[in-house]
Amino acid sequence: MDKMEKIVALAKRRGFVFQTSEIYGGLSNSYDYGPMGSELLRNIRNLWWSEFIHKREDMVGLDSSIILHPQTWVASGHVGSFSDPLVEDVKTHKRYRADHIIEAFLPDDSGVIVEDMSIEEMGQFIQENKVKSPEGNDLTPPKAFNLLFETEIGSVANDKSKVYLRGETAQGIFTNFKQVLDSTRVQLPFGIGQIGKSFRNEITTGQFIFRTLEFEQAEIEYFFNPNESNWEDILSNWKDGMWNFVTKVLGINEEHVRWRQHTDKERSHYSKDTYDLDYQFPFGWKELWGVAYRTDYDLKQHIEHSKTNLEYLDPKTNKKFVPHVIEPAVGVNRLFLMVLADAYTEDPETGRVVLKLDPKLAPYTACISPLLANKEELVTKAKELFNSMKSKYHLVWDARGNIGKRYAAQDEIGTPFCVVVDFQTLTDNTVTVRDRDTGEQERVAISELSQYINDRVEKSA
Ligand code: ATP
């Protein structure tokens, strides 16, 4: 099994990620988050919100609808051009992304930047190089395939109107820009952030949760006056914030992340500069998080299509203008996959799996157990301890099997501390605390246990 297969197997076995609707044979590019996964996802989401919304004076949050007025997507350009190049195997009729097929065909050192190719150039490349499908068959010429999911509002057939499930959370920020300005005391420069589900009719299959039909995005639009603020500085600050979040807050190894600047051809026409923060996933370096200087493009589009004035009135000069924007956009599920991949360790000799999650991220902060499940006095004491700490930490109770098995089970889900109540506890009110990463045990007084755990969780912050 390669590393990715092992991660997928662990994720299923220990309740992090399940295939959606597995009892019906599953659904492509769709996954569910189990008891451990939902906790990990929540911890990542909360840390993002805390870091980028709560800890900053210049940021506010938002929670906009998934179904917006359909004109939103016409104005944003998604109806016209939010597409991927689709090719089809002429025999099996399986669909692929032309850019991915070409990337797989090219040797690593080809120097060709597939992102720079137009759809016509991709078609030409496939034809000239006789590129085949993974099954070895001919491919149809690439055509643009729109990724927006369409649905309808209305109960009777002739009363239905077409709407879209949002393809990104960002547009809900632009359409609420004026209301946020009018309802709060924000002043430029400031940002609006939101986390929520987005939907894309993705063609590619088989990349686990890296690319799914529905996913959670955490996006920020940071508005500023280009005559007062230097966009290069703002962009660079956001890049630092993103890097810090990944390496310090989530505790990811710095060697597994890198910046990649978009080339002039690759970049969207309205963007002046774009960077991807890439992570070295088990299947290669891939985009984790993008940050783009989008100028005043989006607000201007919405002004034009909605005929609403979305200008900002500068309180100092009394002049009106359309602010510019820098957008850091990440998928929470991609952060999740990165966190799992980075934390996964396996002892080469014993095969023992330890998920070395940052303590802030672990689904459970500690496991509390009695040394022996059939000794009532130990169970009572351990339960007391559990109850006294449960409002402070997310704890798990485990009195099954022997201690060694309990430790191994907690290691696999990344629980940083295992606390055991034994016979000595009954005489001196101390417990053993075992550290997940070193396997070492220490005796700690119950009165100091919260502080002991706190110090170690905080240290990682
Ligand atoms: P990609 O090139 O991987 O398709 P993108 O450039 O289209 O991504 P953006 O539109 O910039 O992505 O979206 C911002 C972020 O949302 C991405 O960096 C990624 O983390 C996440 N994201 C985008 N599409 C998906 C998806 N289908 N599944 C999970 N996360 C996604």
Side-chain angles (χ1 to χ4, degrees):
M1 271 209 272
D2 67 15
K3 185 171 176 192
M4 199 54 212
E5 285 168 340
K6 287 179 179 172
I7 292 170
V8 174
L10 176 78
K12 179 180 165 65
R13 185 158 47 85
R14 300 310 314 273
F16 282 92
V17 183
F18 302 135
Q19 193 184 13
T20 285
S21 329
E22 199 191 47
I23 59 167
Y24 291 106
L27 184 68
S28 65
N29 289 342
S30 303
Y31 294 89
D32 294 338
Y33 291 79
M36 294 309 115
S38 54
E39 296 291 341
L40 177 54
L41 206 52
R42 202 161 167 260
N43 289 341
I44 296 173
R45 197 188 291 135
N46 289 346
L47 283 167
W48 184 94
W49 195 270
S50 152
E51 211 56 32
F52 295 118
I53 311 286
H54 287 181
K55 288 191 187 168
R56 296 182 60 126
E57 293 157 49
D58 57 348
M59 290 288 303
V60 289
L62 184 80
D63 200 332
S64 71
S65 285
I66 283 171
I67 299 174
L68 305 173
H69 191 289
Q71 271 305 109
T72 311
W73 304 104
V74 176
S76 68
H78 284 77
V79 170
S81 61
F82 187 47
S83 58
D84 278 338
L86 172 118
V87 285
E88 206 175 293
D89 178 312
V90 293
K91 286 216 176 105
T92 64
H93 300 291
K94 273 196 183 165
R95 295 165 150 200
Y96 299 97
R97 261 175 67 172
D99 50 336
H100 291 170
I101 292 274
I102 295 173
E103 254 164 32
F105 174 84
L106 288 167
D108 284 347
D109 56 357
S110 71
V112 177
I113 300 172
V114 184
E115 283 89 351
D116 283 355
M117 288 186 178
S118 67
I119 208 159
E120 291 74 26
E121 285 166 343
M122 286 186 208
Q124 212 176 337
F125 185 95
I126 289 174
Q127 206 182 15
E128 280 169 9
N129 294 282
K130 300 192 173 40
V131 181
K132 305 283 182 210
S133 77
E135 289 85 17
N137 303 318
D138 284 340
L139 293 161
T140 58
K143 61 174 188 214
F145 176 77
N146 196 294
L147 299 180
L148 277 184
F149 268 102
E150 287 179 15
T151 186
E152 286 167 332
I153 310 183
S155 50
V156 282
N158 56 3
D159 184 30
K160 286 188 172 157
S161 65
K162 185 160 83 179
V163 288
Y164 305 95
L165 302 184
R166 66 180 172 201
E168 60 176 30
T169 56
Q171 295 308 320
I173 299 182
F174 293 118
T175 52
N176 278 298
F177 172 70
K178 190 93 180 89
Q179 318 215 66
V180 172
L181 270 189
D182 293 346
S183 61
T184 66
R185 295 175 61 78
V186 289
Q187 285 190 352
L188 290 184
F190 77 93
I192 305 177
Q194 83 162 322
I195 298 184
K197 282 266 170 110
S198 290
F199 301 80
R200 295 183 187 181
N201 207 347
E202 300 278 5
I203 310 160
T204 327
T205 54
Q207 282 183 302
F208 195 40
I209 55 170
F210 180 78
R211 193 182 300 285
T212 47
L213 298 183
E214 59 173 88
F215 54 101
E216 211 169 19
Q217 277 189 314
E219 296 195 287
I220 290 166
E221 300 301 335
Y222 196 79
F223 301 96
F224 61 95
N225 179 347
N227 296 324
E228 277 188 5
S229 310
N230 181 336
W231 68 265
E232 277 106 338
D233 291 345
I234 298 182
L235 185 66
S236 150
N237 280 341
W238 279 107
K239 281 176 66 194
D240 290 348
M242 291 157 64
W243 184 270
N244 182 63
F245 187 77
V246 169
T247 61
K248 299 285 175 341
V249 180
L250 302 183
I252 301 301
N253 184 342
E254 288 203 1
E255 284 170 18
H256 299 159
V257 270
R258 69 169 188 205
W259 284 109
R260 190 181 73 82
Q261 187 176 24
H262 281 208
T263 62
D264 289 344
K265 268 180 110 178
E266 172 187 7
R267 214 171 45 235
S268 317
H269 63 93
Y270 47 76
S271 171
K272 278 217 177 133
D273 205 3
T274 300
Y275 287 84
D276 286 348
L277 185 58
D278 288 349
Y279 175 73
Q280 193 173 27
F281 287 96
F283 40 87
W285 286 98
K286 299 274 176 212
E287 171 181 341
L288 174 74
W289 199 333
V291 58
Y293 172 28
R294 300 175 64 95
T295 66
D296 54 2
Y297 174 78
D298 304 89
L299 283 179
K300 280 207 169 138
Q301 286 293 108
H302 288 297
I303 291 171
E304 188 187 323
H305 286 258
S306 69
K307 311 272 181 287
T308 308
N309 187 355
L310 303 177
E311 285 175 312
Y312 176 82
L313 174 69
D314 190 329
K316 286 174 281 195
T317 59
N318 241 3
K319 281 202 181 121
K320 283 185 170 178
F321 64 93
V322 180
H324 281 218
V325 80
I326 279 176
E327 177 193 85
V330 69
V332 179
N333 316 77
R334 272 195 200 171
L335 292 173
F336 180 106
L337 181 57
M338 168 188 73
V339 162
L340 270 194
D342 227 64
Y344 186 92
T345 65
E346 196 186 282
D347 187 305
E349 275 156 34
T350 61
R352 197 171 73 100
V353 172
V354 182
L355 209 52
K356 296 193 172 172
L357 294 172
D358 186 287
K360 293 190 296 306
L361 291 171
Y364 297 111
T365 310
C367 171
I368 309 278
S369 57
L371 180 65
L372 301 167
N374 55 3
K375 290 281 178 242
E376 210 185 312
E377 60 275 40
L378 296 183
V379 174
T380 310
K381 186 79 181 168
K383 274 264 147 82
E384 259 174 40
L385 181 61
F386 185 95
N387 288 332
S388 71
M389 289 175 63
K390 69 181 179 195
S391 57
K392 213 161 170 205
Y393 300 106
H394 190 212
L395 303 175
V396 58
W397 172 263
D398 191 359
R400 284 174 49 182
N402 67 39
I403 283 287
K405 280 199 178 135
R406 290 182 214 163
Y407 287 160
Q410 295 305 321
D411 285 347
E412 281 196 338
I413 57 169
T415 310
F417 310 105
C418 284
V419 178
V420 175
V421 168
D422 56 16
F423 291 103
Q424 192 179 329
T425 315
L426 303 177
T427 58
D428 69 0
N429 266 320
T430 64
V431 286
T432 63
V433 183
R434 173 188 172 272
D435 182 282
R436 176 196 66 196
D437 300 341
T438 62
E440 278 167 21
Q441 294 180 27
E442 268 187 79
R443 274 212 94 82
V444 178
I446 287 180
S447 58
E448 284 164 21
L449 187 58
S450 274
Q451 194 59 46
Y452 179 93
I453 292 176
N454 222 27
D455 288 348
R456 281 152 187 81
V457 177
E458 289 293 309
K459 203 174 80 194
S460 75

